[in-house]
Amino acid sequence: MRRRILGFTAALALAVLGTSAPGAQAAVPVVTGPECVRETVDYGKGSVEYDSSTGLWTCIGGRYDGEPITTS
């Protein structure tokens, strides 16, 4: 009986996390690598660097300074 309750609780928790992930993903600004490095008159040119502490590619400088690269 305990295994059934534990299994049901785990399945319910994963279902809740699965439905909230797209909403959290939509809140992150979408910056592509080409957008990051494109030179603009107002902000200059950015570069894409890998941040090993977060495991993400990040835009450094330019218009999207400090924002994670979410698509290539």
Side-chain angles (χ1 to χ4, degrees), residues 10-34:
L12 185 62
L14 289 174
V16 169
L17 289 173
T19 58
S20 64
Q25 204 172 31
V28 176
V30 176
V31 178
T32 64

PDB file of all heavy atoms in Angstrom, residues 10-34:
ATOM      1  N   ALA A  10       4.699  10.539  -6.485  1.00  0.00           N
ATOM      2  CA  ALA A  10       5.787  10.872  -7.408  1.00  0.00           C
ATOM      3  C   ALA A  10       5.243  11.205  -8.795  1.00  0.00           C
ATOM      4  O   ALA A  10       5.688  12.164  -9.423  1.00  0.00           O
ATOM      5  CB  ALA A  10       6.772   9.706  -7.494  1.00  0.00           C
ATOM      6  N   ALA A  11       4.275  10.434  -9.263  1.00  0.00           N
ATOM      7  CA  ALA A  11       3.681  10.707 -10.572  1.00  0.00           C
ATOM      8  C   ALA A  11       2.966  12.053 -10.578  1.00  0.00           C
ATOM      9  O   ALA A  11       3.052  12.814 -11.543  1.00  0.00           O
ATOM     10  CB  ALA A  11       2.712   9.597 -10.953  1.00  0.00           C
ATOM     11  N   LEU A  12       2.281  12.363  -9.504  1.00  0.00           N
ATOM     12  CA  LEU A  12       1.584  13.647  -9.402  1.00  0.00           C
ATOM     13  C   LEU A  12       2.574  14.813  -9.387  1.00  0.00           C
ATOM     14  O   LEU A  12       2.373  15.821 -10.065  1.00  0.00           O
ATOM     15  CB  LEU A  12       0.721  13.659  -8.145  1.00  0.00           C
ATOM     16  CG  LEU A  12      -0.159  14.876  -7.931  1.00  0.00           C
ATOM     17  CD1 LEU A  12      -1.169  14.993  -9.077  1.00  0.00           C
ATOM     18  CD2 LEU A  12      -0.884  14.783  -6.605  1.00  0.00           C
ATOM     19  N   ALA A  13       3.667  14.661  -8.641  1.00  0.00           N
ATOM     20  CA  ALA A  13       4.683  15.718  -8.579  1.00  0.00           C
ATOM     21  C   ALA A  13       5.311  15.944  -9.951  1.00  0.00           C
ATOM     22  O   ALA A  13       5.522  17.089 -10.365  1.00  0.00           O
ATOM     23  CB  ALA A  13       5.755  15.353  -7.557  1.00  0.00           C
ATOM     24  N   LEU A  14       5.615  14.872 -10.674  1.00  0.00           N
ATOM     25  CA  LEU A  14       6.200  15.020 -12.010  1.00  0.00           C
ATOM     26  C   LEU A  14       5.216  15.654 -12.984  1.00  0.00           C
ATOM     27  O   LEU A  14       5.600  16.447 -13.841  1.00  0.00           O
ATOM     28  CB  LEU A  14       6.670  13.668 -12.534  1.00  0.00           C
ATOM     29  CG  LEU A  14       7.908  13.089 -11.858  1.00  0.00           C
ATOM     30  CD1 LEU A  14       8.182  11.680 -12.361  1.00  0.00           C
ATOM     31  CD2 LEU A  14       9.112  13.984 -12.088  1.00  0.00           C
ATOM     32  N   ALA A  15       3.949  15.332 -12.849  1.00  0.00           N
ATOM     33  CA  ALA A  15       2.939  15.931 -13.719  1.00  0.00           C
ATOM     34  C   ALA A  15       2.828  17.433 -13.472  1.00  0.00           C
ATOM     35  O   ALA A  15       2.725  18.226 -14.410  1.00  0.00           O
ATOM     36  CB  ALA A  15       1.593  15.260 -13.501  1.00  0.00           C
ATOM     37  N   VAL A  16       2.885  17.832 -12.224  1.00  0.00           N
ATOM     38  CA  VAL A  16       2.815  19.265 -11.901  1.00  0.00           C
ATOM     39  C   VAL A  16       4.045  19.987 -12.434  1.00  0.00           C
ATOM     40  O   VAL A  16       3.947  21.068 -13.011  1.00  0.00           O
ATOM     41  CB  VAL A  16       2.670  19.470 -10.375  1.00  0.00           C
ATOM     42  CG1 VAL A  16       2.873  20.916  -9.987  1.00  0.00           C
ATOM     43  CG2 VAL A  16       1.301  18.982  -9.915  1.00  0.00           C
ATOM     44  N   LEU A  17       5.224  19.400 -12.259  1.00  0.00           N
ATOM     45  CA  LEU A  17       6.449  20.014 -12.774  1.00  0.00           C
ATOM     46  C   LEU A  17       6.436  20.080 -14.296  1.00  0.00           C
ATOM     47  O   LEU A  17       6.912  21.052 -14.884  1.00  0.00           O
ATOM     48  CB  LEU A  17       7.674  19.239 -12.300  1.00  0.00           C
ATOM     49  CG  LEU A  17       8.009  19.367 -10.822  1.00  0.00           C
ATOM     50  CD1 LEU A  17       9.145  18.419 -10.456  1.00  0.00           C
ATOM     51  CD2 LEU A  17       8.356  20.787 -10.463  1.00  0.00           C
ATOM     52  N   GLY A  18       5.915  19.079 -14.944  1.00  0.00           N
ATOM     53  CA  GLY A  18       5.850  19.061 -16.404  1.00  0.00           C
ATOM     54  C   GLY A  18       4.955  20.137 -16.971  1.00  0.00           C
ATOM     55  O   GLY A  18       5.226  20.698 -18.023  1.00  0.00           O
ATOM     56  N   THR A  19       3.884  20.461 -16.272  1.00  0.00           N
ATOM     57  CA  THR A  19       2.981  21.502 -16.773  1.00  0.00           C
ATOM     58  C   THR A  19       3.508  22.894 -16.480  1.00  0.00           C
ATOM     59  O   THR A  19       3.181  23.839 -17.184  1.00  0.00           O
ATOM     60  CB  THR A  19       1.569  21.354 -16.164  1.00  0.00           C
ATOM     61  OG1 THR A  19       1.667  21.417 -14.743  1.00  0.00           O
ATOM     62  CG2 THR A  19       0.917  20.066 -16.595  1.00  0.00           C
ATOM     63  N   SER A  20       4.348  23.045 -15.464  1.00  0.00           N
ATOM     64  CA  SER A  20       4.859  24.378 -15.141  1.00  0.00           C
ATOM     65  C   SER A  20       6.115  24.723 -15.938  1.00  0.00           C
ATOM     66  O   SER A  20       6.469  25.891 -16.048  1.00  0.00           O
ATOM     67  CB  SER A  20       5.159  24.484 -13.648  1.00  0.00           C
ATOM     68  OG  SER A  20       6.189  23.603 -13.291  1.00  0.00           O
ATOM     69  N   ALA A  21       6.800  23.744 -16.501  1.00  0.00           N
ATOM     70  CA  ALA A  21       8.047  24.003 -17.232  1.00  0.00           C
ATOM     71  C   ALA A  21       7.854  24.897 -18.454  1.00  0.00           C
ATOM     72  O   ALA A  21       8.640  25.825 -18.650  1.00  0.00           O
ATOM     73  CB  ALA A  21       8.704  22.690 -17.630  1.00  0.00           C
ATOM     74  N   PRO A  22       6.836  24.698 -19.302  1.00  0.00           N
ATOM     75  CA  PRO A  22       6.682  25.600 -20.447  1.00  0.00           C
ATOM     76  C   PRO A  22       6.445  27.052 -20.041  1.00  0.00           C
ATOM     77  O   PRO A  22       6.929  27.968 -20.690  1.00  0.00           O
ATOM     78  CB  PRO A  22       5.473  25.035 -21.192  1.00  0.00           C
ATOM     79  CG  PRO A  22       5.437  23.604 -20.811  1.00  0.00           C
ATOM     80  CD  PRO A  22       5.934  23.562 -19.391  1.00  0.00           C
ATOM     81  N   GLY A  23       5.742  27.263 -18.960  1.00  0.00           N
ATOM     82  CA  GLY A  23       5.517  28.631 -18.485  1.00  0.00           C
ATOM     83  C   GLY A  23       6.792  29.283 -18.012  1.00  0.00           C
ATOM     84  O   GLY A  23       7.050  30.453 -18.273  1.00  0.00           O
ATOM     85  N   ALA A  24       7.615  28.529 -17.326  1.00  0.00           N
ATOM     86  CA  ALA A  24       8.895  29.060 -16.867  1.00  0.00           C
ATOM     87  C   ALA A  24       9.818  29.320 -18.044  1.00  0.00           C
ATOM     88  O   ALA A  24      10.570  30.290 -18.062  1.00  0.00           O
ATOM     89  CB  ALA A  24       9.540  28.080 -15.886  1.00  0.00           C
ATOM     90  N   GLN A  25       9.752  28.461 -19.033  1.00  0.00           N
ATOM     91  CA  GLN A  25      10.598  28.629 -20.207  1.00  0.00           C
ATOM     92  C   GLN A  25      10.175  29.856 -21.007  1.00  0.00           C
ATOM     93  O   GLN A  25      11.006  30.543 -21.584  1.00  0.00           O
ATOM     94  CB  GLN A  25      10.483  27.376 -21.067  1.00  0.00           C
ATOM     95  CG  GLN A  25      11.655  27.150 -21.963  1.00  0.00           C
ATOM     96  CD  GLN A  25      11.559  25.798 -22.644  1.00  0.00           C
ATOM     97  OE1 GLN A  25      10.474  25.296 -22.913  1.00  0.00           O
ATOM     98  NE2 GLN A  25      12.691  25.208 -22.917  1.00  0.00           N
ATOM     99  N   ALA A  26       8.901  30.160 -21.033  1.00  0.00           N
ATOM    100  CA  ALA A  26       8.410  31.312 -21.775  1.00  0.00           C
ATOM    101  C   ALA A  26       8.841  32.617 -21.125  1.00  0.00           C
ATOM    102  O   ALA A  26       8.927  33.649 -21.788  1.00  0.00           O
ATOM    103  CB  ALA A  26       6.896  31.253 -21.886  1.00  0.00           C
ATOM    104  N   ALA A  27       9.120  32.596 -19.818  1.00  0.00           N
ATOM    105  CA  ALA A  27       9.521  33.808 -19.116  1.00  0.00           C
ATOM    106  C   ALA A  27      10.961  34.201 -19.424  1.00  0.00           C
ATOM    107  O   ALA A  27      11.344  35.346 -19.232  1.00  0.00           O
ATOM    108  CB  ALA A  27       9.348  33.614 -17.615  1.00  0.00           C
ATOM    109  N   VAL A  28      11.765  33.255 -19.906  1.00  0.00           N
ATOM    110  CA  VAL A  28      13.163  33.536 -20.235  1.00  0.00           C
ATOM    111  C   VAL A  28      13.222  34.215 -21.598  1.00  0.00           C
ATOM    112  O   VAL A  28      12.641  33.733 -22.562  1.00  0.00           O
ATOM    113  CB  VAL A  28      13.983  32.227 -20.258  1.00  0.00           C
ATOM    114  CG1 VAL A  28      15.415  32.498 -20.687  1.00  0.00           C
ATOM    115  CG2 VAL A  28      13.937  31.560 -18.903  1.00  0.00           C
ATOM    116  N   PRO A  29      13.918  35.356 -21.689  1.00  0.00           N
ATOM    117  CA  PRO A  29      14.014  36.012 -22.987  1.00  0.00           C
ATOM    118  C   PRO A  29      14.755  35.136 -23.998  1.00  0.00           C
ATOM    119  O   PRO A  29      15.730  34.487 -23.658  1.00  0.00           O
ATOM    120  CB  PRO A  29      14.797  37.289 -22.706  1.00  0.00           C
ATOM    121  CG  PRO A  29      15.411  37.111 -21.378  1.00  0.00           C
ATOM    122  CD  PRO A  29      14.646  36.059 -20.652  1.00  0.00           C
ATOM    123  N   VAL A  30      14.266  35.098 -25.216  1.00  0.00           N
ATOM    124  CA  VAL A  30      14.875  34.275 -26.254  1.00  0.00           C
ATOM    125  C   VAL A  30      15.901  35.115 -27.003  1.00  0.00           C
ATOM    126  O   VAL A  30      15.553  36.072 -27.677  1.00  0.00           O
ATOM    127  CB  VAL A  30      13.809  33.736 -27.224  1.00  0.00           C
ATOM    128  CG1 VAL A  30      14.454  32.958 -28.351  1.00  0.00           C
ATOM    129  CG2 VAL A  30      12.809  32.871 -26.483  1.00  0.00           C
ATOM    130  N   VAL A  31      17.159  34.772 -26.826  1.00  0.00           N
ATOM    131  CA  VAL A  31      18.251  35.450 -27.517  1.00  0.00           C
ATOM    132  C   VAL A  31      19.026  34.377 -28.262  1.00  0.00           C
ATOM    133  O   VAL A  31      19.404  33.370 -27.690  1.00  0.00           O
ATOM    134  CB  VAL A  31      19.180  36.176 -26.526  1.00  0.00           C
ATOM    135  CG1 VAL A  31      20.324  36.839 -27.273  1.00  0.00           C
ATOM    136  CG2 VAL A  31      18.416  37.190 -25.709  1.00  0.00           C
ATOM    137  N   THR A  32      19.237  34.596 -29.527  1.00  0.00           N
ATOM    138  CA  THR A  32      20.019  33.648 -30.311  1.00  0.00           C
ATOM    139  C   THR A  32      21.463  34.109 -30.379  1.00  0.00           C
ATOM    140  O   THR A  32      21.771  35.275 -30.144  1.00  0.00           O
ATOM    141  CB  THR A  32      19.455  33.520 -31.737  1.00  0.00           C
ATOM    142  OG1 THR A  32      19.595  34.770 -32.391  1.00  0.00           O
ATOM    143  CG2 THR A  32      17.997  33.103 -31.720  1.00  0.00           C
ATOM    144  N   GLY A  33      22.353  33.182 -30.698  1.00  0.00           N
ATOM    145  CA  GLY A  33      23.763  33.521 -30.845  1.00  0.00           C
ATOM    146  C   GLY A  33      23.993  34.617 -31.870  1.00  0.00           C
ATOM    147  O   GLY A  33      24.699  35.590 -31.601  1.00  0.00           O
ATOM    148  N   PRO A  34      23.375  34.518 -33.078  1.00  0.00           N
ATOM    149  CA  PRO A  34      23.560  35.575 -34.071  1.00  0.00           C
ATOM    150  C   PRO A  34      23.041  36.939 -33.609  1.00  0.00           C
ATOM    151  O   PRO A  34      23.640  37.958 -33.909  1.00  0.00           O
ATOM    152  CB  PRO A  34      22.774  35.065 -35.281  1.00  0.00           C
ATOM    153  CG  PRO A  34      22.795  33.586 -35.152  1.00  0.00           C
ATOM    154  CD  PRO A  34      22.730  33.327 -33.668  1.00  0.00           C
TER     155      PRO A  34
END
